[in-house]
């Protein structure tokens, strides 16, 4: 059985097409948020009850985040452990630094944390979404992952260019690109004269670097970025060594005197 979730909500066309294609490989259960939860990140709902509603056979909605959905599905709802968790197909890309905000990627992160091979899949477009093409990519990836597995502790973040299959140049395994942050907040004034803000005005800019996910999608390739959750910066250990020379015992002693 394959577990499918997303962050665009259970009624998003992307998740339905994805589930339909994945049924060619195995049975599929959809457990997804009851409404759009894009940019929910890896948040989990702890301070109110989560309700599950069965919408159809093997389709459930949860009034929570993608993380909640995968967690509840695996730990409560499903009778067997899924062989695979697939999150998407997201309306819009999840590239570079944005993966930390992404509810789509978080769905796959939760799958990985629960010990299940997982991937997230997003369509790099803002309109006229070609879900059928992305679903084809998802199907082929799922087939391969079910057969070969994934490196332990690794999930895949897939971004698909919004093009007919015949125009897609191939697949590249990539690293995360870097976003250039500017003009991302819009300030307005409400009818009572109070200032308010919208986060996320305009399209973001990116550093053009070869080998990145953004560069691959830009060049009409499917981008597959292997992600792991160990965010430790091993390269900084040496440089930050001086932090270990701080002597707290002496400092506390000094305060007492
Ligand atoms: Mn979304």
């Amino acid at each position: 059985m394959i577990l499918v979730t997303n962050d665009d909500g259970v009624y998003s066309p992307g998740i339905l097409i994805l589930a339909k294609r994945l049924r060619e490989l195995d049975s599929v259960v959809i457990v997804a948020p009851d409404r759009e939860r894009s940019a929910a990140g890896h948040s989990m709902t702890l301070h109110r009850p989560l309700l599950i509603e069965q919408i159809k056979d093997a389709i459930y909605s949860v009034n929570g985040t993608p993380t909640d959905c995968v967690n509840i599905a695996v730990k409560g709802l499903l009778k067997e452990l899924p062989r695979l968790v697939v999150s998407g197909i997201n309306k819009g890309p999840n590239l570079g630094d944005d993966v930390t905000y992404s509810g789509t990627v978080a769905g796959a992160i939760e799958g990985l944390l629960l010990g299940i091979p997982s991937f997230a899949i997003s369509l790099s477009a803002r309109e006229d979404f070609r879900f059928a093409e992305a679903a084809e990519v998802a199907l082929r990836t799922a087939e391969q992952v079910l057969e070969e597995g994934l490196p332990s502790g690794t999930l895949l973040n897939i971004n698909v260019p919004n093009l007919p299959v015949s125009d897609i140049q191939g697949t590249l395994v990539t690293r995360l690109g870097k976003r250039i942050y500017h003009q991302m907040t819009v300030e307005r004034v409400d009818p009572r004269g109070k200032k308010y803000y919208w986060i996320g005005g305009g399209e973001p800019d990116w550093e053009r670097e070869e080998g990145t996910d953004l560069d691959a999608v830009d060049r009409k390739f499917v981008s597959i970025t292997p992600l792991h959750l160990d965010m430790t910066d091993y390269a900084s250990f040496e440089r930050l060594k001086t932090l270990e020379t701080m002597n707290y015992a002496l400092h506390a002693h000094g305060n007492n005197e």
Side-chain angles (χ1 to χ4, degrees):
M1 179 257 302
I2 299 171
L3 172 63
V4 167
T5 193
N6 74 351
D7 76 356
D8 293 335
V10 72
Y11 298 106
S12 174
I15 197 170
L16 299 174
I17 296 173
L18 174 65
K20 192 173 171 211
R21 287 312 301 277
L22 292 178
R23 278 193 196 103
E24 294 173 29
L25 299 175
D26 201 347
S27 62
V28 172
V29 178
I30 294 179
V31 183
D34 61 352
R35 70 199 78 169
E36 182 175 346
R37 300 303 302 264
S38 291
H42 193 216
S43 61
M44 187 178 257
T45 304
L46 298 180
H47 302 291
R48 61 173 175 82
L50 289 164
L51 304 173
I52 299 179
E53 202 168 325
Q54 180 159 16
I55 289 168
K56 258 172 132 183
D57 234 18
I59 304 183
Y60 300 85
S61 77
V62 175
N63 60 344
T65 65
T67 302
D68 294 330
C69 291
V70 174
N71 196 282
I72 285 177
V74 173
K75 298 263 200 79
L77 181 68
L78 302 174
K79 302 283 172 274
E80 51 174 315
L81 198 67
R83 298 164 67 207
L84 179 68
V85 173
V86 182
S87 183
I89 301 164
N90 190 57
K91 284 179 164 181
N94 278 301
L95 297 160
D97 300 312
D98 283 351
V99 302
T100 60
Y101 301 113
S102 171
T104 307
V105 175
I109 287 176
E110 191 63 10
L112 173 68
L113 288 174
L114 294 167
I116 305 160
S118 302
F119 68 84
I121 183 156
S122 305
L123 193 48
S124 188
R126 293 295 171 205
E127 52 188 7
D128 302 325
F129 300 98
R130 307 187 74 103
F131 289 117
E133 280 83 347
E136 179 71 28
V137 172
L139 174 67
R140 293 184 194 193
T141 310
E143 206 169 8
Q144 207 158 323
V145 169
L146 285 173
E147 211 162 282
E148 297 170 22
L150 287 172
S152 100
T154 297
L155 67 111
L156 303 180
N157 183 40
I158 306 176
N159 283 273
V160 182
N162 198 43
L163 297 167
V165 169
S166 55
D167 289 352
I168 294 177
Q169 300 299 302
T171 301
L172 292 174
V173 175
T174 58
R175 64 192 158 85
L176 294 177
K178 281 202 174 60
R179 201 192 230 280
I180 302 165
Y181 284 87
H182 63 87
Q183 196 56 50
M184 288 298 293
T185 304
V186 177
E187 187 184 292
R188 297 260 169 86
V189 179
D190 79 7
R192 281 167 291 282
K194 197 171 166 56
K195 259 195 234 165
Y196 67 94
Y197 296 87
W198 279 112
I199 291 177
E203 281 292 305
D205 270 351
W206 298 87
E207 288 179 14
R208 304 272 142 179
E209 267 186 64
E210 212 176 305
T212 62
D213 50 2
L214 175 90
D215 184 62
V217 169
D218 218 38
R219 288 165 46 213
K220 304 182 181 176
F221 284 86
V222 172
S223 164
I224 300 188
T225 309
L227 299 177
H228 57 80
L229 300 183
D230 182 356
M231 294 169 85
T232 311
D233 179 12
Y234 292 98
S236 298
F237 269 47
E238 216 34 58
R239 196 175 101 57
L240 295 173
K241 207 75 182 161
T242 51
L243 289 172
E244 292 185 349
T245 65
M246 288 190 281
N247 194 325
Y248 302 105
L250 264 181
H251 193 71
H253 182 67
N255 284 344
N256 287 341
E257 277 185 348

